[in-house]
Amino acid sequence: MKVYQTKEIRNIALIGGNRTGKTTLAEAIAFHGGVVSRRGTIEDKNTISDYREIELERQQSISSTLIYSEFAGCKINMIDCPGFDDFIGEAIGALRVADTALMVINAQNGVDVGAEIQWRWAKKMNTPVIFVVNQLDHEKANFDETLKQLKNYFGNSVMPFQYPVNAGVGFDSVIDLLQMKLLKFPVGGGKIAIEEIPAGEKNKAEEMHNALIEAAAENDEKLMDKFFEEGTLTEEEMAQGLKLGIIGRGTFPVICIAAKNDQGITRFMEIIKSSAPAPDEMPGVKTESGKTLNCKTSDPTTAYIFKTALEQHLGEVSFMKLYGGEITEAMDMVNSISNSKERLSQLLCIAGKNREKVEKVVAGDIIATIKLKGSQTGQTLVKSGDEEIVPTEYPEPKFRIAVRAKNSSDDEKLGAILNDFKKTDQTFLGEQSKELKQMIISGQGEQHLNIIKWMIEKLNKIDIEFYPPKIPYRETITKSSEAMYRHKKQSGGAGQFGEVHMLVEPYYDGMPNQTKYPVRGQDTYDLAWGGKLVFNNCIVGGAIDARFMPAIMKGINEKMEEGPLTGSYARDIVINVYDGKMHPVDSNEMAFKLAGRNAFREAFKNAGPKILEPIYDVEIFVPSERMGDVMTDLQGRRGVVMGMDSEGSFQKIRAKVPLAEMNKYSTTLSSITSGRASYGMKFSEYQQVPADVQNEIIKKYEEENKEED
Ligand SMILES: Nc1nc2c(ncn2[C@@H]2O[C@H](COP(=O)(O)OP(=O)(O)OP(=O)(O)O)[C@@H](O)[C@H]2O)c(=O)[nH]1
Ligand SMILES: [Mg+2]
């Protein structure tokens, strides 16, 4: 295979809502590049992009797929992403390395929720966007309405490069505003007929063409001068100027196609070649040390792993973008974080399920390699040095559930499988919670986790079940309290004796020491589960030997790990051990550990104990007209609205909501907004639960523990 130079590469992410035609478009582009000899279709289950078993079964993309194609000396690397919001992580990974996002819009439906969500991500990552209005052959296709919506949602920088003259059944013609010609696309592909613009379209076309010329000239002084002198620009000059607008996210072109009928595809590929940026024309990527890599061969050899997949027969496949230098087969590189050596045993040019070996790859290209020993998504491989590309930020998981194998002997295997999912999916978490004694998995939505369940059952052949996840509550106290405990045992041989007196207080930042019992020694611990524990030694006159203090501490710690109210972790407590008693023969560490533990339990119970619950910051994007329903629902979830901002026709609601009330939120939100809202959530803090909720939690805990006894 030819070695493509940086200028000859176009990296594009195919994004957009559900079933808009991304995979069909990718297939058509691959076909015209000679990468597939026959165009597959979704219905025939033979596209190169949707080849995984689950994708064939559901006729839907689940995972992003890298597909290269070739056009007039250019290599087009496409990353075909799933449109469904639960798989947004795939689009985010792709947007990070793509130099242009092709946002596919279905001309029947206009702007959908997928487009809105992905637009926000493209904006956040500064990725240029080209809109592709697809399915123009459909009887319900409505280009004018689609364009109106595009401008409405994404602003007036949305600029048609083409518009159709006969959208709907029989569609075959567009006015190309760069060429200023009418292009006729035969159904099923074939030679484009180029004709003059019909008289009835002339004025409209002129007006839109001039708007493009002005936009092109705005980006480049030389073009502006030429425009003033001659009043026009050539097609090439326009493409050049518009490309600058595209890179700076000041111009968002609109292209017209019907991918299924192979209409408009080759012209679209020409436009990608002339107007989409090459990797080194983009602003560059930042490293952790603040350097910028511009995808030049003269930049240090640096590859960023943006995706890891597990493929049958191949094992772990790592997808990388080269942000500088050149790499060759069998080259040794270093993982810039772990410093471990990685050999690029093979360089693979990927076209979905097909792969081809290449010997050399230059800066800007996207390829895959296999058999890396210990490098993961988000990590950087370098030739030398320790430069690390700032890793992509993914949204936190927001849908959690507990999972177990139906046959408990499979639980260990299940743990290992979940670990593999974590490697290949940055928006998924799965782990055995020591605290909750449950295996908890979390992802972007119910569908996301259902698909993981499908894969585990079908591919790994383990039957599993979901069940309600527990909430990681915490316990603390709200007032001071004193208690003493004497542990005394004198049966037979050596006895046990230990007595501990303590004062417990609620901890808060910057609090002074209590003055009743002067503090002689102080240790402050940051608890692994959050919060603090302060241990004050206030013993006078050697009432308890210093050597028993660690044992007392150990006893307290044990109880902190299993709080007195509900067995949850305790936090934010100050303990003052101020008195006690020893026995010259019977006192030992075990006795003091038990005395410490029990004294703490007693003091805790009388210190106004409270249950704390995790509160999440929740951010919801909702169409303005649905805001009322979402607010009412939030109230029912004990949510506190912190603020609202409008973004176009959307409202962004910021609220604090207890985790316990977020169960299956994505499913509810989707049903009350017809799938048009999206949300994200992030742990914020622990807060006391209301008294009625506390009573219920304690009651439930006691009932459950009775059952276990
Ligand atoms: N009429 C018509 N149908 C199309 C066109 N392009 C795609 N389709 C159909 O639209 C459906 C979805 O196509 P896909 O290519 O799977 O869409 P997608 O955007 O990749 O879908 P997801 O990856 O699941 O989000 C399929 O039934 C296609 O045959 C088109 O140009 N015209
Ligand atoms: Mg698809």
Side-chain angles (χ1 to χ4, degrees), residues 236-294:
E236 200 178 311
E237 287 164 341
M238 277 173 79
Q240 202 186 317
L242 288 166
K243 188 199 272 186
L244 296 174
I246 293 169
I247 294 170
R249 287 180 51 88
T251 301
F252 302 100
V254 180
I255 310 288
C256 299
I257 61 165
K260 196 173 180 181
N261 293 346
D262 195 1
Q263 292 176 293
I265 307 301
T266 48
R267 173 62 184 144
F268 178 35
M269 289 166 87
E270 267 172 25
I271 293 175
I272 292 175
K273 186 182 175 197
S274 63
S275 297
D280 61 350
E281 290 171 316
M282 287 293 288
V285 70
K286 289 264 176 284
T287 66
E288 289 285 8
S289 70
K291 292 202 179 102
T292 303
L293 294 167
N294 289 97

Side-chain angles (χ1 to χ4, degrees), residues 17-24 42-43 50 60-61 80-84 134-135 137-138 258-260:
N18 244 343
R19 292 182 66 78
T20 47
K22 302 174 288 296
T23 300
T24 307
I42 299 297
E43 288 72 17
D50 284 2
Q60 174 190 24
S61 305
D80 175 26
C81 301
F84 191 59
N134 186 32
Q135 309 209 15
D137 61 307
H138 198 279
K260 196 173 180 181

Side-chain angles (χ1 to χ4, degrees), residues 22 33 70 72 110 189 197 200 204 255 276 307 409 453 512 523 530 637:
K22 302 174 288 296
E70 293 175 298
I197 296 177
K204 180 177 171 189
I255 310 288
K307 177 182 168 79
S409 64
K453 182 169 190 272
D523 291 308
R637 295 175 186 274

Side-chain angles (χ1 to χ4, degrees), residues 131-329:
F131 291 102
V132 189
V133 177
N134 186 32
Q135 309 209 15
L136 281 165
D137 61 307
H138 198 279
E139 57 181 9
K140 290 195 191 132
N142 186 340
F143 180 79
D144 292 337
E145 176 57 26
T146 300
L147 182 63
K148 200 169 111 196
Q149 289 183 12
L150 286 171
K151 285 185 182 277
N152 210 355
Y153 283 103
F154 310 125
N156 277 329
S157 310
V158 171
M159 306 193 87
F161 277 21
Q162 300 170 329
Y163 71 88
V165 288
N166 57 349
V169 177
F171 162 75
D172 70 348
S173 302
V174 303
I175 303 289
D176 191 294
L177 298 161
L178 299 172
Q179 287 182 334
M180 282 308 271
K181 296 281 181 204
L182 179 131
L183 307 184
K184 265 201 164 144
F185 304 128
V187 172
K191 200 168 176 333
I192 302 171
I194 304 177
E195 296 175 8
E196 292 309 318
I197 296 177
E201 296 293 336
K202 269 236 153 78
N203 286 347
K204 180 177 171 189
E206 281 293 340
E207 205 177 297
M208 291 167 87
H209 174 72
N210 288 341
L212 283 181
I213 291 189
E214 278 174 40
E218 254 173 37
N219 295 312
D220 185 328
E221 251 177 57
K222 268 196 225 132
L223 291 179
M224 185 63 100
D225 292 345
K226 168 133 196 268
F227 175 56
F228 273 129
E229 272 167 34
E230 300 179 16
T232 189
L233 295 176
T234 65
E235 192 195 334
E236 200 178 311
E237 287 164 341
M238 277 173 79
Q240 202 186 317
L242 288 166
K243 188 199 272 186
L244 296 174
I246 293 169
I247 294 170
R249 287 180 51 88
T251 301
F252 302 100
V254 180
I255 310 288
C256 299
I257 61 165
K260 196 173 180 181
N261 293 346
D262 195 1
Q263 292 176 293
I265 307 301
T266 48
R267 173 62 184 144
F268 178 35
M269 289 166 87
E270 267 172 25
I271 293 175
I272 292 175
K273 186 182 175 197
S274 63
S275 297
D280 61 350
E281 290 171 316
M282 287 293 288
V285 70
K286 289 264 176 284
T287 66
E288 289 285 8
S289 70
K291 292 202 179 102
T292 303
L293 294 167
N294 289 97
C295 285
K296 303 222 182 277
T297 39
S298 54
D299 281 329
T301 305
T302 315
Y304 175 75
I305 303 172
F306 68 94
K307 177 182 168 79
T308 307
L310 290 173
E311 294 277 346
Q312 264 183 339
H313 312 303
L314 275 186
E316 208 168 297
V317 184
S318 309
F319 294 81
M320 328 191 277
K321 179 173 181 184
L322 193 61
Y323 278 100
E326 294 179 351
I327 51 178
T328 47
E329 193 184 79

Side-chain angles (χ1 to χ4, degrees), residues 565-578:
L565 291 179
T566 60
S568 310
Y569 292 134
R571 56 177 281 169
D572 298 328
I573 294 168
V574 182
I575 288 164
N576 304 275
V577 174
Y578 62 86

